Amino acid sequence: MTKRLTIAIQKKGRLNQDSVDLITKSGISFSTNGERLLAKSSNFDIDILLVRDDDIPSLVEKKVADLGIVGENVLLEYKSVRKSSKTVNVLDLGFSKCKLAFAKPEGKKIKSLNNKKIATSYPGLVKKYLKENSLKADVIKINGSVELTPYVGIADCICDLVSSGATLEANNLVEFKELLTSQAVLIANSTSSKLKQKRISQLKERFKGVIDARESKYVMLNCDLSNSEKICNLLPGADAPTILPLKDKNKVAIHALCQEPVFWETMENLKKTGASSILVMPVEKVLN
Ligand code: ATP
Ligand code: ZN
């Protein structure tokens, strides 16, 4: 049995760059040139399959790919109509955050979704929502330009992805109910072989290391020894700060790995509490 893994990622679109970055930052080298659908890594036993995002859950389900990177929205839509699916989310990846929400033309009154016509690319999820809320409505599946449907008389409202809301605003639509929030996720088949699962776990740890490093910062600062306790308490997500003596016996240097974002406000608070020479540095990898 081959121990080589295959990971399916989006070929072109919003998920592509972040997926490629995550894989390469995990120490996996590969090159994708031109229209090639398959890229082989030269330094890790993995092949990268470049496909449309909608095909990724079924490729993992059929074990054509062992892993996939896809929006949770696409995974949940896939699973909403395949109850016995073995494709599961194994890691939240923290990018491509968006939500699936109902929106209506500005000024139009919609008190309930009952008996309405709803246009969406996510019919499975919308129907599930309607069922769970004992509502009856007409769900119309549209693959693109969903936001235009209320204006051409096809639908009363839509259910579509929203991130900043700019597309809705540009089309005079307003959100009135959120269905779910989504982000990119790593998916795998829960029935993959023991050997593959071992390799998947190794890769997952590397991905986690890259994700944790994204938020993490290494902070160094100086302060009075008498203030060190207070200063340590202000460092976000720092489990075990290192306190080092300085030449001036009343002063110390504090070094800490902060595993939560360090904002300007945090630095200003540190300064107010007596810290000086505050350095915040990026972290490339974390292995906890
Ligand atoms: P494909 O050609 O691969 O089918 P697509 O047009 O269906 O691509 P994209 O628009 O590239 O898909 O979006 C891919 C995923 O990115 C979505 O399924 C969703 O998870 C996420 N996404 C969509 N819109 C946004 C957004 N505005 N902001 C952040 N993430 C988004
Ligand atoms: Zn798609």
Side-chain angles (χ1 to χ4, degrees):
M1 194 188 291
T2 174
K3 63 182 174 109
R4 215 173 160 79
L5 291 178
T6 303
I7 183 166
I9 64 169
Q10 192 189 29
K11 183 172 171 56
K12 240 190 255 165
R14 293 179 202 264
L15 295 166
N16 172 268
Q17 194 55 52
D18 286 321
S19 306
V20 170
D21 283 353
L22 177 63
I23 296 171
T24 47
K25 283 187 181 150
S26 302
I28 297 166
S29 319
F30 69 98
S31 61
T32 56
N33 42 6
E35 289 302 300
R36 270 176 45 195
L37 286 185
L38 190 75
K40 283 182 178 295
S41 166
S42 50
N43 64 346
F44 199 93
D45 282 338
I46 195 164
D47 297 331
I48 293 96
L49 200 57
L50 296 129
V51 292
R52 284 200 59 180
D53 69 344
D54 315 71
D55 295 333
I56 295 176
S58 70
L59 289 171
V60 172
E61 186 77 31
K62 291 177 191 138
K63 297 189 179 171
V64 175
D66 303 298
L67 291 163
I69 296 179
V70 75
E72 207 177 357
N73 50 306
V74 170
L75 171 69
L76 294 176
E77 173 66 23
Y78 179 83
K79 287 171 80 80
S80 70
V81 287
R82 290 168 194 83
K83 299 282 179 280
S84 57
S85 161
K86 303 285 186 299
T87 305
V88 290
N89 171 0
V90 292
L91 184 66
D92 289 342
L93 300 175
F95 59 83
S96 285
K97 289 193 172 165
C98 57
K99 58 185 171 179
L100 187 61
F102 291 96
K104 59 182 175 81
E106 212 176 340
K108 184 170 177 147
K109 284 202 176 71
I110 294 190
K111 280 208 184 99
S112 152
L113 287 168
N114 245 338
N115 303 318
K116 298 292 180 300
K117 283 189 271 180
I118 309 164
T120 185
S121 309
Y122 299 87
L125 287 173
V126 172
K127 283 179 189 162
K128 187 165 168 251
Y129 174 87
L130 293 169
K131 197 169 166 209
E132 282 167 4
N133 291 280
S134 311
L135 295 162
K136 277 210 158 41
D138 212 357
V139 179
I140 304 150
K141 184 177 184 206
I142 302 275
N143 284 326
S145 305
V146 175
E147 61 281 0
L148 299 179
T149 55
Y151 296 102
V152 290
I154 299 175
D156 299 302
C157 61
I158 66 167
C159 185
D160 205 5
L161 292 179
V162 184
S163 58
S164 65
T167 310
L168 288 187
E169 205 180 318
N171 288 286
N172 279 319
L173 293 164
V174 283
E175 179 187 329
F176 65 96
K177 193 175 281 299
E178 183 180 306
L179 201 157
L180 56 86
T181 55
S182 175
Q183 61 176 305
V185 292
L186 181 70
I187 59 173
N189 191 306
S190 59
T191 65
S192 58
S193 70
K194 283 263 161 355
L195 184 66
K196 291 248 163 131
Q197 276 179 27
K198 212 170 143 202
R199 305 234 56 219
I200 289 170
S201 295
Q202 183 197 3
L203 194 61
K204 218 174 98 180
E205 285 311 307
R206 287 203 189 183
F207 281 1
K208 263 196 212 153
V210 176
I211 296 163
D212 290 347
R214 232 188 264 147
E215 296 268 277
S216 300
K217 293 282 180 279
Y218 197 73
V219 176
M220 303 203 294
L221 55 83
N222 295 344
C223 66
D224 285 347
L225 176 62
S226 57
N227 259 346
S228 57
E229 188 73 29
K230 253 198 248 164
I231 300 263
C232 284
N233 289 336
L234 288 176
L235 291 167
D239 283 344
T242 308
I243 301 182
L244 302 159
L246 290 180
K247 197 166 168 225
D248 176 344
K249 295 269 181 300
N250 295 319
K251 287 194 161 285
V252 288
I254 299 180
H255 292 189
L257 176 67
C258 291
Q259 304 221 25
E260 285 166 29
V262 180
F263 298 112
W264 277 106
E265 288 78 1
T266 316
M267 294 174 68
E268 286 157 3
N269 272 341
L270 286 165
K271 190 173 170 194
K272 251 191 256 162
T273 317
S276 62
S277 305
I278 310 166
L279 298 184
V280 178
M281 287 169 294
V283 172
E284 204 178 281
K285 300 180 183 82
V286 176
L287 195 60
N288 281 316

